[in-house]
């Protein structure tokens, strides 16, 4: 490996999250809609419930709970679009790359030969909006290779592709 | 990895398998467990009702009633165990070990031999008294996926283990042998071909010790009905043992008893100062916890002994429950060396490993050496990874164990990482060798993690907001469940990125040349172009340079043999 002199910081542009010659495929922007909807449903529900409780009990400070919750969910809702935009994956010849996160960023490299099985799942809301989630499993529980927000045909294509590539490069453990 | 070359024998109906029963004493041993569980569960609940029993029946009669209840529970427990024993059968075929069990819910489980991760012979105290043993076949299926054959006569269990390991290694009795490799392994007087992989495990073994098992001539061509195990146990050679005094001293030097002692002193001081005895009651649970910890350590690590054999690493340990583990070559996914602050004086290390079959909760099974000196730690590492892939493996290990910053060629965390880890930043570092990734961390609790290139599952780079400001990133290599989770924190972001790219390339390359799952079949690897020589030279199967490199220290320290036969020459 390149033994850089550890003293100085490198130019911040060439981050480790943008490997050279990788064509990233973003996930569907419908994922943002789904996530917003989920936040609205769950978050809104929770806010309403806590507000009702506060109104019934009658302590003024109890209103702080729905207020804080509402602020948190609003903050989350504001971030959703950027988070979804940061989600991307790339198929290389021998491995799958998944990138996610803005504040806490992560780049995962999963070799096809290490894949044990692939999950494709879609909840009722996801189905309604025409997206699905593809998840790769290796023998390591630490591998978090989940790609949410794929159009169903893309998810199916990716699943078959991963399965066939995994078989071609099959290794033991 | 089903073998593409070998014609699979006709899938005979399962009834044709040689189904065998467990030892008839099994229900007696199992019944006690049921009884104990029931008594523990119900007795706890009913302790109040004993009083009412005494009231109703009078003191003498109450005990009779209790005894009667107990006898009834015991009867039910033993009867259930006996019925369960009746329906429990196992069968060993060339491809798998089958286990049928379950009284109400029938279950048939099969462990494929080419997926075998480890074979353990476990003897709980009670079973030991009867000379019985339990055979655990670990496959990489997560918790509860092991096939457990309980109980067998000890000699039977060991014979069965030898047979299973020989079959899993790819030695088959009476199977039609294609020209490739098969005759190189069990054919011939076997001292010829076998060393290519056998010596990879144990370069110190003399050539006559290299034969894993004699193929049974009795096996029919169909091979579905194996004869009575005709495989000899693989010879083994003890590499290191743990002396009892060192184990005791190591427990004294571990942190838990001292923390407990400090807590006791603190409680006493509190009692003296406040003149209330309340704090003393907190000591009780603490004593239980520490006592349990100490007993666990002592019981699991006592009489620890490691040996090499052509079947792989063999570990024996246990005081009350005796456990003999066999981990075939190439099954160890990662190794970790740890040293607490009080172990630094004598330079002791605890060596643990990730084996896919054991999972995270089998903490006693994942120990490669409970208390190793530095030399023994090097030997333990060498058992797993015969070639560390550097020209100076002991120097690299020394730098990993004690070094800071860029000692021994390590790529350290840059100085600005001190903002995130002011105490330990000098110890964060990574070294890439030809065969493995060495990761170092921990100022007071020193940790060294070694991951062979071909064993990494997936890789990741993560970065939090502060790391981002400092242009740092954490490099993670994902391994199978177990005590070891390899990662290096706070590397230079560009270095971590480059490492990610290079490491995925290296891992792919290492996998491509790694040894086959059936470890005696080096020549039959599915990537056929690899000749015996290069397949045997693959990192997983051991390399020709293994002996001369790390071999110098281990052989001097442990085995006493000095001239490792060069494994590469044999084929």
């Amino acid at each position: 490996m390149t033994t850089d002199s550890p003293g100085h910081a490198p130019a911040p542009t060439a981050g480790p999250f943008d490997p050279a010659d990788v064509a990233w495929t973003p996930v569907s922007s419908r994922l943002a809609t789904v996530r917003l909807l989920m936040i609205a449903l769950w978050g809104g529900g929770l806010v309403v419930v806590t507000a009702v409780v506060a109104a019934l009990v009658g302590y003024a400070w109890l209103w702080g709970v729905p207020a804080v919750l509402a602020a948190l969910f609003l903050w989350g809702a504001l971030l959703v679009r950027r988070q979804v935009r940061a989600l991307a994956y790339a198929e290389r010849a021998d491995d799958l790359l998944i990138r996610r996160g803005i504040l806490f960023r992560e780049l995962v490299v999963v070799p096809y030969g290490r894949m044990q099985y692939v999950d494709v799942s879609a909840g009722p809301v996801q189905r309604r909006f025409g997206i699905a989630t593809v998840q790769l499993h290796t023998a390591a529980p630490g591998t978090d290779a989940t790609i949410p927000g794929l159009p169903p045909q893309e998810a199916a294509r990716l699943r078959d592709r991963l399965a066939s590539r995994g078989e071609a490069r099959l290794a033991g453990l | 990895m089903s073998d593409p070359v070998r014609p699979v024998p006709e899938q005979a109906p399962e009834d044709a398998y040689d189904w065998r029963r467990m030892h008839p004493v099994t229900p007696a041993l199992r019944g006690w467990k049921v009884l104990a569980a029931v008594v523990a569960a119900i007795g706890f609940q009913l302790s109040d009702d004993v009083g009412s029993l005494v009231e109703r029946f009078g003191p003498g009669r109450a005990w009779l009633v209790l005894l009667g209840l107990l006898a009834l529970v015991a009867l039910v427990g033993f009867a259930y165990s006996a019925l369960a024993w009746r329906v429990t059968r196992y069968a060993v075929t060339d491809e798998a070990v089958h286990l049928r069990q379950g009284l109400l819910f029938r279950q048939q489980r099969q462990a494929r031999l080419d997926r075998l991760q480890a074979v353990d012979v476990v003897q709980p105290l009670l079973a030991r008294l009867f000379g019985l043993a339990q055979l655990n076949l670990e496959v990489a299926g997560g918790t509860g996926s092991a096939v457990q054959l309980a109980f067998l006569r000890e000699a039977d269990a060991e014979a069965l283990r030898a047979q299973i390991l020989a079959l899993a290694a790819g030695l088959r009795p009476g199977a039609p042998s294609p020209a490739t490799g098969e005759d190189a392994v069990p054919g011939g007087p076997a001292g010829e071909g076998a060393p290519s992989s056998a010596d990879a495990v144990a370069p110190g073994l003399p050539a006559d010790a290299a034969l894993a098992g004699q193929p049974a001539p009795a096996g029919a061509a169909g091979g579905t009905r194996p004869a009575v195990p005709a495989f000899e146990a693989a010879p083994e050679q003890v590499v290191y043992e743990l002396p009892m005094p060192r184990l005791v001293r190591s427990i004294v030097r571990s942190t838990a008893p001292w923390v407990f002692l400090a807590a006791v002193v603190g409680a006493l001081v509190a009692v003296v100062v406040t003149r209330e005895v309340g704090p003393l009651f907190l000591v009780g649970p603490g004593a239980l916890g520490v006592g349990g910890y100490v007993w666990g350590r002592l019981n699991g690590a006592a009489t620890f002994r490691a040996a090499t054999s052509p079947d792989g690493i063999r570990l024996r340990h246990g005081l009350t429950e005796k456990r003999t583990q066999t981990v075939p070559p190439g099954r160890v996914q990662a190794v970790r060396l740890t040293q607490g602050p009080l172990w630094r004086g004598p330079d002791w290390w605890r060596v643990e490993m990730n084996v896919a079959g054991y999972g995270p909760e089998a903490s006693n099974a994942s120990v490669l050496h409970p208390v190793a000196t530095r030399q023994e730690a090097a030997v333990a590492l060498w058992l797993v990874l015969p070639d560390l892939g550097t020209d100076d493996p002991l120097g690299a290990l020394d730098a990993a164990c004690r070094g800071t910053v860029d000692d021994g060629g390590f790529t350290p965390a840059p100085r600005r990482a001190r903002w995130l880890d002011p105490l330990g930043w000098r110890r964060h570092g990574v070294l890439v060798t030809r065969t493995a990734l060495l990761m170092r961390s921990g100022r007071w609790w020193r940790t060294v993690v070694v991951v062979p290139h071909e064993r990494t599952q997936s890789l990741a780079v993560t970065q939090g907001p502060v790391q981002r400001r400092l242009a740092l990133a954490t490099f993670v290599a994902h391994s199978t469940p177990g005590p070891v989770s390899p990662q290096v924190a706070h590397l230079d972001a560009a270095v971590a990125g480059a490492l990610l790219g290079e490491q995925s390339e290296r891992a792919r390359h290492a996998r491509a040349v790694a040894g086959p799952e059936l470890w005696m079949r080096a020549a039959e690897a599915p990537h056929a172009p690899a000749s015996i020589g290069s397949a045997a030279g693959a990192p997983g199967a051991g390399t020709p340079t293994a002996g001369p490199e790390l071999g110098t220290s281990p052989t001097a320290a442990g085995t006493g043999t000095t001239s490792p036969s060069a494994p590469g020459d044999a084929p």
Side-chain angles (χ1 to χ4, degrees):
Chain A
M1 88 178 263
T2 52
T3 47
D4 282 9
S5 64
H8 58 88
T13 48
F17 299 94
D18 272 312
D21 36 276
V22 170
W24 292 101
T25 314
V27 300
S28 165
S29 59
R30 289 196 293 272
L31 178 65
T33 319
V34 169
R35 287 196 172 171
L36 278 176
L37 194 64
M38 297 310 279
I39 287 179
L41 280 176
W42 290 106
L46 216 55
V47 168
V48 166
V49 167
T50 48
V52 166
V53 168
L56 288 179
V57 175
Y59 292 121
W61 58 267
L62 259 183
W63 285 98
V65 178
V68 167
L69 281 177
L72 277 178
F73 288 128
L74 265 180
W75 176 246
L78 286 176
L79 283 183
V80 161
R81 292 219 170 266
R82 289 185 62 203
Q83 275 176 343
V84 168
R85 243 179 290 147
L87 248 171
Y89 65 95
E91 291 168 77
R92 290 203 297 199
D94 297 287
D95 39 29
L96 182 81
L97 274 61
I98 301 169
R99 186 178 66 174
R100 69 169 77 86
I102 305 164
L103 199 57
F104 293 89
R105 294 199 291 179
E106 186 176 20
L107 170 66
V108 186
V109 181
V110 188
Y112 298 130
R114 282 307 190 212
M115 210 175 51
Q116 300 290 329
Y117 61 97
V118 188
D119 271 343
V120 180
S121 58
V125 182
Q126 288 189 334
R127 274 207 303 276
R128 186 70 195 243
F129 283 84
I131 55 173
T133 301
V134 171
Q135 187 172 11
L136 267 75
H137 295 267
T138 68
T143 309
D144 182 11
T146 313
I147 316 175
L150 292 172
Q153 65 275 22
E154 168 69 2
R157 186 198 65 81
L158 193 62
R159 177 198 61 204
D160 294 344
R161 184 99 169 249
L162 292 174
S164 65
R165 286 187 175 184
E167 202 160 317
R169 288 164 185 75
L170 186 66
L173 279 179
Chain B
M1 194 183 73
S2 75
D3 196 338
V5 183
R6 184 167 308 282
V8 180
E10 285 277 283
Q11 194 64 41
E14 288 170 356
D15 296 333
Y17 292 167
D18 185 16
W19 291 100
R20 291 152 191 266
R21 275 194 181 150
M22 305 298 170
H23 195 275
V25 181
T26 304
L29 297 182
R30 283 277 165 99
W32 283 113
K33 240 186 225 174
V34 175
L35 183 64
V38 168
V39 167
I42 297 182
F44 191 70
Q45 308 274 330
L46 290 187
S47 52
D48 293 341
D49 299 342
V50 172
S52 62
L53 265 181
V54 172
E55 272 176 24
R56 190 179 302 174
F57 295 103
R61 294 272 289 285
W63 285 114
L64 276 182
V65 171
L66 265 183
L67 275 179
L69 280 177
L70 215 60
L72 191 70
V73 169
L75 198 69
V76 170
F78 284 114
Y80 178 82
S81 300
L83 288 175
W85 170 80
R86 267 181 60 87
V87 297
T88 304
R89 309 271 170 107
Y90 71 94
V92 183
T93 66
D94 285 356
E95 269 85 35
V97 177
H98 305 260
L99 176 67
R100 273 184 186 169
Q101 60 184 1
L103 205 53
L104 289 176
F105 299 91
R106 291 289 165 87
Q107 184 188 41
Q108 176 160 344
R109 179 176 277 191
Q110 111 185 41
R112 281 187 50 179
L113 290 177
D114 57 355
R115 288 297 186 208
L116 205 60
Q117 299 295 320
V119 183
D120 294 0
V121 175
V122 185
Q123 284 187 289
L125 189 59
L126 207 55
R128 251 172 103 180
L129 296 179
F130 286 91
L132 299 181
Q134 175 180 345
L135 195 66
N136 288 0
L137 307 170
E138 304 282 354
V139 288
T143 308
S145 65
V147 169
Q148 301 187 333
L149 308 181
F151 289 91
L152 305 170
R153 202 175 288 123
E154 193 181 349
D156 289 349
E158 279 169 12
L160 195 59
R161 177 183 65 189
Q163 182 193 6
I164 286 169
L165 282 167
L167 288 173
L171 304 177
R172 265 173 216 198
S177 67
T180 55
E182 180 73 0
D183 42 23
V185 183
E192 303 295 322
S196 62
S197 48
D199 276 9
V201 191
L205 283 178
D208 60 285
L211 180 55
Q214 298 282 0
T224 49
R225 185 179 278 273
V228 183
F231 293 89
E232 285 173 16
E236 55 182 68
Q237 190 163 356
V238 176
V239 181
Y240 52 74
E241 285 176 78
L242 175 62
M244 200 61 184
R246 194 202 295 168
L247 176 61
V248 173
R249 270 164 48 216
S250 80
I251 292 174
V252 172
R253 277 175 175 268
S254 62
T255 340
W258 295 101
V259 172
F260 176 64
L261 206 64
V264 169
V265 170
L268 283 178
V269 169
V271 167
V272 170
V273 171
T274 61
R275 302 195 170 265
E276 282 178 27
V277 288
L280 273 185
F281 289 109
L282 295 177
V283 172
L288 272 182
V290 172
Y293 167 83
V294 167
W295 172 246
R297 276 285 160 99
L298 199 67
N299 191 18
T303 69
F304 196 96
R305 174 201 269 196
T308 59
S309 79
D311 284 340
I313 307 166
R314 190 155 288 171
L315 308 169
R316 298 168 192 280
H317 52 98
L319 203 59
T320 55
E321 180 180 279
K322 231 172 82 181
R323 189 180 270 268
T324 308
Q325 303 168 241
T326 307
V327 183
R331 258 57 168 183
V332 178
Q333 309 281 330
V335 180
R336 180 177 71 175
L337 284 67
T338 46
Q339 181 182 59
L342 296 174
W343 283 20
R344 188 171 296 188
D347 202 10
W348 287 335
W349 294 84
R350 181 176 171 84
V351 188
E352 287 156 300
M353 60 185 171
N354 277 3
V355 172
Y358 289 140
E361 65 287 327
S363 58
N364 261 340
S366 302
V367 177
L368 201 50
H369 198 319
V371 193
T373 62
R374 174 77 68 79
Q375 293 253 309
E376 287 170 350
V379 180
L381 188 57
W382 163 81
L383 283 177
V384 172
L385 194 67
D387 177 14
L388 205 52
T390 61
D391 299 329
D392 179 18
L394 288 178
L397 192 61
D398 187 60
C401 289
R402 289 195 313 192
T404 55
V405 200
D406 56 356
D407 292 348
F410 268 77
T411 304
R415 195 175 150 71
R416 55 184 188 277
R418 69 187 184 280
W419 297 110
L420 278 163
D421 191 353
L423 294 177
W425 69 272
R426 282 189 187 83
R427 282 276 297 165
H428 294 294
V430 60
L431 176 70
V432 181
T433 72
R434 289 192 303 275
T435 57
L437 203 59
L438 272 73
M439 302 169 176
R440 180 188 76 180
S441 64
R443 170 89 177 76
W444 305 104
W445 275 266
R446 288 167 163 173
T447 303
V448 177
V449 172
V450 182
V451 189
H453 290 323
E454 71 273 20
R455 299 281 161 230
T456 50
Q457 295 288 331
S458 58
L459 304 166
V461 172
T462 63
Q463 190 178 50
V466 183
Q467 283 184 319
R468 193 174 185 185
R469 284 293 295 272
L470 296 169
L472 300 172
T474 297
F475 175 81
V476 188
H478 299 123
S479 182
T480 56
V484 190
S485 47
Q487 67 167 1
V488 210
H490 314 321
L491 286 178
D492 186 291
V495 169
L499 188 58
L500 187 74
E502 289 167 25
Q503 188 58 28
S504 47
E505 184 67 23
R506 257 192 300 266
R508 186 158 50 85
H509 186 72
R511 274 197 301 277
V513 297
E517 295 281 291
L518 310 175
W519 60 93
M520 283 293 184
R521 288 204 197 156
E524 277 186 66
H527 19 75
S531 70
I532 288 186
S534 67
T543 72
T545 52
E549 282 201 354
L550 244 177
T552 48
S553 146
T555 44
T559 61
T561 51
T562 44
S563 63
S565 54
D569 298 347

